Amino acid sequence: MSIKVYVSRDATALSVGAESVARAVEVAAQQRGADIQLVRNGSRGLFWLEPLVEVETPSGRHAYGPVGAADVAELFDAGFLNAAAHRLHLGPTAEIAELASQQRLTFARVGVTDPVSLSDYLAHDGYAGLRQALTMTPAAIVAAVTESGLRGRGGAAFPTGVKWKTVLDQPPQQKYVTCNADEGDSGTFADRMLMEGDPLTLIEGMTIAGVAVGATQGFIYLRVEYPHALRALNEAIAAAYAGGYLGRNILGSDKQFELEVRLGAGAYICGEETSMLESLEGKRGEVRVRPPLPAIKGLFGQPTIVNNVISLATVPVILLQGAEFYKNFGTGKSRGTIPLQLAGNVRRGGLFERAFGVTLRDLVYGYGGGTASGRPVRAVQVGGPLGAYIPESQFDTPVDYEALSASGALLGHGGIVVFDDTVDMAGMARFALEFCAVESCGKCTPCRIGSTRGVELMDRVIANVDRERNLQLVEELCETLLHGSLCGLGGMTPFPVQSALKHFPEDFRKTVV
Ligand SMILES: Cc1cc2nc3c(=O)[nH]c(=O)nc-3n(C[C@H](O)[C@H](O)[C@H](O)COP(=O)(O)O)c2cc1C
Ligand code: SF4
């Protein structure tokens, strides 16, 4: 029988040479007459170990990494197909400390299965959630999602079940399920990894959403910079159609759900849900005034669910294991687990799914191992480019929506970007305003004009031109953006600026040389 060897097809792994490693594995096996089956899986999310090569043995999977193409012949000669010792041998994959300590619910299959194999998916509990949903009434499905405590993982943390109920409560008509896969936040890649590593989970979650609210059409709005995710999604959608899991009479029921991927051109504002709907309709991505809510009048004016990839991909496990099971993870009003993404100046970057309540310190030092530069950590930015900077002194803050918001931060999509003590916080504050100016959709004045004026003010502060007066104006501008912006882009730009000013005032008063 063939021995299964796994090399990831995930974009991160590919960026560090996984493709040439995969080719080298095939060549080495052929040359030695070894009977192997090469599986291109998703990434386990332990990026410092990529390209990670795994081999299936009677005692489970063993991992080797990071493997270069030049290491492959030596691995074969050392007997890696029998999990033999080698300097790159990491032991049983499941026992790698940073993996073993995670609570993988949404990412349970990522890195484990062949992402586009329906049979592999079915062999790992795939579509069990949909089967369960098909035995339930729409109201009961929505109630289970509400009861689980799942909140939107795209950033706003709105209760998913409440949103679904609003769509369900609209009279029967054409309804839509849309998946927000724009993933514009800096330092985030959970959506990409899920779509590349286990796209059928997202497809299953969207199908359950469709069955729950009576929507027959779904769209995945994917940013064009994700070509590997696009390929995986399209292959997985084709497999789901061929298996009778999409289309008419799903699994012999009277339910129908059609699904396709639409590409966005990669503007940050197109991740804001109403801009995303405009873009999906073929228009310029510009924010819509609310009300009406998309749940009532969304895509093409019809009731529409807009959910993030991770929110939708978490629904199958909730249906399979029950709301109670999911709710038992987490803390306070933040129930379940969250895939946290560590990036920036960090020794061990990657994705770590943990129940809410893990501290920033556990993440940055425990998983991340401190900075890549070896210098002291000075701050992290949590929640994307518009998230607050949190100083090292506050790293005991638990990762949960309320605790972070109490300390003036937000969790957003779960991205944590690490900075060492060489970071210039005045420069970072300027960057936030510049980002807002570049990405503004232009619909409202505080954001369109204010962001540009903010950059000018910061330039004067940094150049020490009438510094205290200009700092005062920056503070006032932040208040205007906070309260006068139509959407979160302008409304959240003050967070990085104000947090940098609050925690690192010395950086704004440096001597100009
Ligand atoms: C400027 C801006 C950018 C956003 N970008 C994204 C994004 O890339 N992906 C995402 O899922 N949500 C993004 N959001 C949040 C969405 O507007 C919306 O809350 C989310 O898609 C709803 O799904 P959820 O409830 O499952 O989180 C963004 C919001 C703002 C204001
Ligand atoms: S805050 Fe900025 S991005 Fe949002 S609607 Fe106003 S101009 Fe557009």
Side-chain angles (χ1 to χ4, degrees):
M1 212 173 80
S2 325
I3 299 173
K4 279 189 181 170
V5 176
Y6 298 81
V7 180
S8 175
R9 58 184 272 170
D10 176 276
T12 304
L14 295 177
S15 73
V16 290
E19 197 58 43
S20 53
V21 171
R23 240 173 285 128
V25 166
E26 281 174 328
V27 170
Q30 211 173 23
Q31 284 170 344
R32 289 160 181 77
D35 182 13
I36 67 154
Q37 183 194 340
L38 181 64
V39 180
R40 303 303 303 273
N41 57 338
S43 172
R44 299 275 189 168
L46 314 175
F47 291 162
W48 68 100
L49 299 176
E50 293 288 2
L52 187 79
V53 178
E54 289 179 77
V55 59
E56 195 157 83
T57 74
S59 64
R61 277 156 73 160
H62 278 247
Y64 294 79
V67 177
D71 300 317
V72 171
E74 189 188 293
L75 277 175
F76 269 82
D77 294 339
F80 103 107
L81 290 182
N82 299 312
H86 185 274
R87 66 188 159 84
L88 298 177
H89 189 206
L90 301 162
T93 314
E95 291 175 20
I96 297 173
E98 292 84 1
L99 200 56
S101 56
Q102 294 185 43
Q103 291 141 311
R104 288 203 167 207
L105 303 183
T106 310
F107 277 71
R109 276 177 292 258
V110 175
V112 176
T113 55
D114 176 345
V116 295
S117 161
L118 184 60
S119 57
D120 213 2
Y121 188 65
L122 295 173
H124 289 84
D125 289 334
Y127 278 119
L130 176 63
R131 281 184 199 282
Q132 176 60 30
L134 288 171
T135 68
M136 298 161 72
T137 62
I141 302 172
V142 172
V145 174
T146 308
E147 184 55 25
S148 75
L150 178 67
R151 290 163 73 179
R153 303 290 190 243
F158 189 80
T160 305
V162 173
K163 190 183 284 187
W164 287 21
K165 184 162 186 332
T166 309
V167 180
L168 172 65
D169 286 347
Q170 301 312 303
Q173 58 193 294
Q174 179 65 59
K175 299 179 184 180
Y176 296 105
V177 177
T178 60
C179 170
N180 190 341
D182 196 57
E183 197 163 54
D185 281 357
S186 45
T188 64
F189 39 82
D191 295 351
R192 180 189 61 69
M193 275 187 62
L194 192 288
M195 290 184 288
E196 291 178 5
D198 190 17
L200 283 158
T201 298
L202 172 60
I203 295 166
E204 182 182 350
M206 291 186 73
T207 310
I208 294 171
V211 170
V213 303
T216 53
Q217 176 70 54
F219 293 101
I220 299 171
Y221 183 83
L222 179 72
R223 61 171 42 233
V224 74
E225 290 98 329
Y226 280 178
H228 304 287
L230 175 65
R231 198 170 317 131
L233 283 169
N234 280 335
E235 286 177 50
I237 288 172
Y241 268 109
Y245 293 89
L246 281 175
R248 290 173 188 276
N249 305 114
I250 293 168
L251 290 179
S253 71
D254 60 352
K255 307 293 181 192
Q256 177 184 2
F257 192 67
E258 314 288 339
L259 182 60
E260 60 184 272
V261 181
R262 290 285 169 90
L263 287 179
Y268 186 71
I269 196 57
C270 288
E272 191 283 331
E273 59 183 8
T274 61
S275 285
M276 185 198 81
L277 294 174
E278 288 287 293
S279 180
L280 261 178
E281 291 180 9
K283 301 175 195 150
R284 176 170 176 253
E286 195 177 63
V287 174
R288 289 180 186 171
V289 177
R290 277 173 298 193
L293 292 171
I296 293 166
K297 229 169 168 297
L299 188 63
F300 303 114
Q302 303 297 117
T304 302
I305 287 180
V306 184
N307 271 137
N308 172 255
V309 173
I310 302 302
S311 317
L312 289 162
T314 301
V315 167
V317 72
I318 292 172
L319 269 290
L320 170 65
Q321 305 268 27
E324 203 58 32
F325 166 85
Y326 190 76
K327 202 165 79 175
N328 277 334
F329 292 86
T331 171
K333 289 187 197 160
S334 304
R335 308 313 312 174
T337 61
I338 173 134
L340 295 153
Q341 304 124 83
L342 264 188
N345 189 345
V346 65
R347 207 147 72 85
R348 294 191 292 264
L351 179 140
F352 310 95
E353 183 175 346
R354 286 288 306 258
F356 286 96
V358 60
T359 64
L360 289 171
R361 194 172 299 286
D362 291 338
L363 287 158
V364 175
Y365 293 108
Y367 287 101
T371 61
S373 62
R375 298 185 65 90
V377 178
R378 188 162 189 229
V380 290
Q381 187 179 30
V382 181
L386 309 180
Y389 289 99
I390 302 178
E392 216 267 352
S393 57
Q394 290 184 8
F395 278 10
D396 291 317
T397 307
V399 172
D400 93 53
Y401 295 116
E402 281 67 33
L404 280 168
S405 129
S407 67
L410 52 93
L411 181 52
H413 188 42
I416 300 169
V417 178
V418 182
F419 296 86
D420 75 10
D421 62 351
T422 61
V423 64
D424 169 23
M425 284 298 175
M428 300 314 286
R430 184 193 184 281
F431 172 74
L433 290 156
E434 188 186 14
F435 180 84
C436 182
V438 170
E439 298 292 343
S440 170
C441 83
K443 185 144 181 160
C444 63
T445 316
C447 171
R448 185 183 68 246
I449 310 278
S451 52
T452 299
R453 294 290 92 84
V455 174
E456 293 163 2
L457 290 173
M458 276 311 302
D459 281 340
R460 282 182 220 132
V461 168
I462 291 166
N464 197 8
V465 175
D466 203 0
R467 188 174 265 166
E468 293 308 318
R469 169 77 189 126
N470 281 307
L471 273 172
Q472 175 69 32
L473 286 172
V474 169
E475 304 259 18
E476 285 172 20
L477 178 68
C478 282
E479 288 303 311
T480 307
L481 278 167
L482 198 63
H483 302 292
S485 300
L486 183 57
C487 88
L489 201 159
M492 294 191 304
T493 294
F495 293 160
V497 180
Q498 290 173 322
S499 58
L501 274 164
K502 179 174 171 197
H503 300 300
F504 308 98
E506 63 278 17
D507 283 21
F508 292 78
R509 292 176 177 83
K510 281 185 190 157
T511 314
V512 182
V513 280

